[in-house]
């Protein structure tokens, strides 16, 4: 077990060391793939067991999101958490095992098997925060949670070099600053360290509602700074595929 944890720590530390910075958070995005009959039990587990346990472990803000439009053949629930270090991530399972309140609250959920399985699969994505936004931020929204639209984007690149170029475009190129100036309420920007679609980056912006979202992106497309940045030949061809997922926070999500 120690060897496995050491390998995980090494894997997610290497890109961190390459940045030369020590203040960037690591993010974990867990994607639960479920069927309709599993949703209620998963919600109960996350609300009553998992989130309280993460809070006790010092992870105070955990986001739980569901797509605005679900794929009925593959329902998904996204759980986002920020960590101070790779060690905090690798040590979390052992900490949960020692948390009696968690193991008691999670006992029924974790005992499911075969036809009573609590989920179909869990996909885990690990990310390193961008240098120009090294820590997650809570969105400054004033609408009810049920109306909010959170936009999760994934930008894949053809090679690691193109991926680094796109990350540079966000940081040194000033793309993050454009989003900040236009009030996109970003929760995070991160480079994927481990996941199923590397090389890629992901980020999440937030809006009071769909109309608010559309207005922001209209202003972004017309922004002179963005037009200038996107026209620079040095940043050409750095995204080969993108996915856009609209999600909303659950009632028990921390943000």
């Amino acid at each position: 077990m120690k060897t496995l944890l050491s390998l995980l720590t090494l894997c997610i530390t290497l890109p961190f060391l390459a940045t030369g910075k020590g203040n960037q958070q690591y993010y974990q995005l867990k994607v639960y793939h479920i069927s309709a009959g599993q949703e209620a039990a998963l919600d109960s587990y996350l609300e009553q067991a998992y989130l309280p346990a993460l809070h006790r472990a010092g992870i105070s803000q955990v986001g739980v999101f569901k797509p605005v439009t679900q794929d009925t053949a593959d329902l998904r629930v996204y759980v986002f958490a920020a960590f101070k270090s790779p060690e905090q991530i690798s040590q979390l399972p052992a900490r949960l095992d020692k948390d009696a309140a968690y193991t008691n609250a999670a006992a029924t959920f974790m005992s499911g098997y075969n036809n009573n399985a609590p989920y179909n699969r869990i996909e885990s994505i690990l990310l390193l925060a961008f240098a120009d936004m090294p820590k997650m931020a809570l969105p400054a929204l004033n609408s009810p949670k049920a109306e909010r639209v959170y936009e999760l984007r994934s930008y894949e690149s053809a090679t690691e070099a193109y991926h680094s170029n796109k990350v540079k475009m966000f940081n040194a190129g000033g793309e993050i600053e454009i989003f900040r100036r236009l009030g996109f309420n970003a929760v995070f920007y991160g480079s994927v360290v481990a996941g199923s679609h590397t090389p890629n980056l992901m980020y999440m912006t937030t809006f009071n509602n769909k109309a608010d979202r559309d207005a922001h992106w209209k202003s972004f497309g017309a922004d002179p700074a963005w037009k200038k940045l996107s026209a620079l030949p040095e940043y050409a061809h750095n995204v080969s595929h993108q996915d856009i997922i609209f999600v909303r926070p659950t009632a028990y999500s921390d943000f």
Side-chain angles (χ1 to χ4, degrees), residues 177-230:
E177 179 53 37
I178 296 172
F179 279 118
R180 184 179 292 125
R181 172 169 52 80
L182 295 178
F184 270 68
N185 271 310
V187 174
F188 75 92
Y189 300 91
S191 179
V192 174
V193 176
S196 58
H197 296 281
T198 58
N200 75 314
L201 63 86
M202 301 180 78
Y203 68 97
M204 176 182 279
T205 51
T206 66
F207 312 93
N208 282 308
N209 49 52
K210 182 62 163 55
D212 185 34
R213 179 265 177 196
D214 292 345
H216 274 82
W217 277 105
K218 183 177 180 180
S219 66
F220 183 86
D223 187 75
W226 168 245
K227 288 185 176 181
K228 179 179 179 181
L229 177 63
S230 60

Side-chain angles (χ1 to χ4, degrees), residues 8 44-45 83 110 145 152 165 193 213 242:
L8 172 62
S44 179
Y45 162 74
F83 296 82
M110 290 299 180
K145 275 188 177 181
L152 179 64
N165 180 267
V193 176
R213 179 265 177 196
Q242 70 173 0

Side-chain angles (χ1 to χ4, degrees):
M1 183 64 178
K2 289 183 178 179
T3 300
L4 177 61
L5 294 180
S6 297
L7 288 173
L8 172 62
T9 300
L10 177 62
C11 173
I12 59 181
T13 301
L14 287 175
F16 173 75
L17 294 174
T19 66
K21 296 179 180 293
N23 65 336
Q24 289 154 273
Q25 289 181 327
Y26 282 88
Y27 305 130
Q28 182 187 55
L29 185 62
K30 295 178 72 174
V31 186
Y32 286 86
H33 297 261
I34 62 173
S35 301
Q38 298 167 324
E39 187 171 6
L42 177 59
D43 279 328
S44 179
Y45 162 74
L46 293 173
E47 181 178 11
Q48 302 298 327
Y50 190 64
L51 265 67
L54 262 60
H55 295 162
R56 290 191 293 273
I59 304 163
S60 59
Q61 300 294 337
V62 184
V64 182
F65 311 97
K66 296 181 181 181
V68 172
T69 303
Q70 282 274 26
D71 178 355
T72 55
D74 180 24
L75 302 181
R76 300 184 182 193
V77 178
Y78 296 82
V79 181
F80 173 87
F83 296 82
K84 292 181 285 189
S85 68
E87 291 76 17
Q88 190 181 25
I89 300 173
S90 64
Q91 293 167 5
L92 181 60
R95 181 155 189 162
L96 293 178
D97 284 344
K98 295 177 181 178
D99 185 334
Y102 168 77
T103 56
N104 288 336
T108 300
F109 182 79
M110 290 299 180
S111 65
Y113 183 71
N114 283 349
N115 292 337
N116 294 318
Y119 48 80
N120 298 328
R121 268 311 81 182
I122 299 176
E123 177 185 355
S124 186
I125 303 168
L126 299 178
L127 306 101
L128 173 64
F130 283 4
D132 275 23
M133 187 174 170
K135 300 183 187 302
M136 67 161 288
L138 297 179
L141 302 175
N142 53 31
S143 61
K145 275 188 177 181
E147 296 179 11
R148 297 176 187 177
V149 173
Y150 289 20
E151 186 166 353
L152 179 64
R153 290 197 171 211
S154 172
Y155 290 170
E156 298 175 28
S157 299
T159 67
E160 290 92 332
Y162 279 118
H163 166 73
S164 296
N165 180 267
K166 184 57 181 174
V167 173
K168 179 181 177 183
M169 187 177 180
F170 270 93
N171 291 299
E175 192 168 348
I176 287 178
E177 179 53 37
I178 296 172
F179 279 118
R180 184 179 292 125
R181 172 169 52 80
L182 295 178
F184 270 68
N185 271 310
V187 174
F188 75 92
Y189 300 91
S191 179
V192 174
V193 176
S196 58
H197 296 281
T198 58
N200 75 314
L201 63 86
M202 301 180 78
Y203 68 97
M204 176 182 279
T205 51
T206 66
F207 312 93
N208 282 308
N209 49 52
K210 182 62 163 55
D212 185 34
R213 179 265 177 196
D214 292 345
H216 274 82
W217 277 105
K218 183 177 180 180
S219 66
F220 183 86
D223 187 75
W226 168 245
K227 288 185 176 181
K228 179 179 179 181
L229 177 63
S230 60
L232 293 175
E234 64 194 86
Y235 294 126
H237 313 302
N238 56 18
V239 174
S240 59
H241 175 80
Q242 70 173 0
D243 287 308
I244 302 173
I245 304 169
F246 296 107
V247 298
R248 285 200 172 102
T250 63
Y252 56 87
S253 176
D254 289 328
F255 60 90

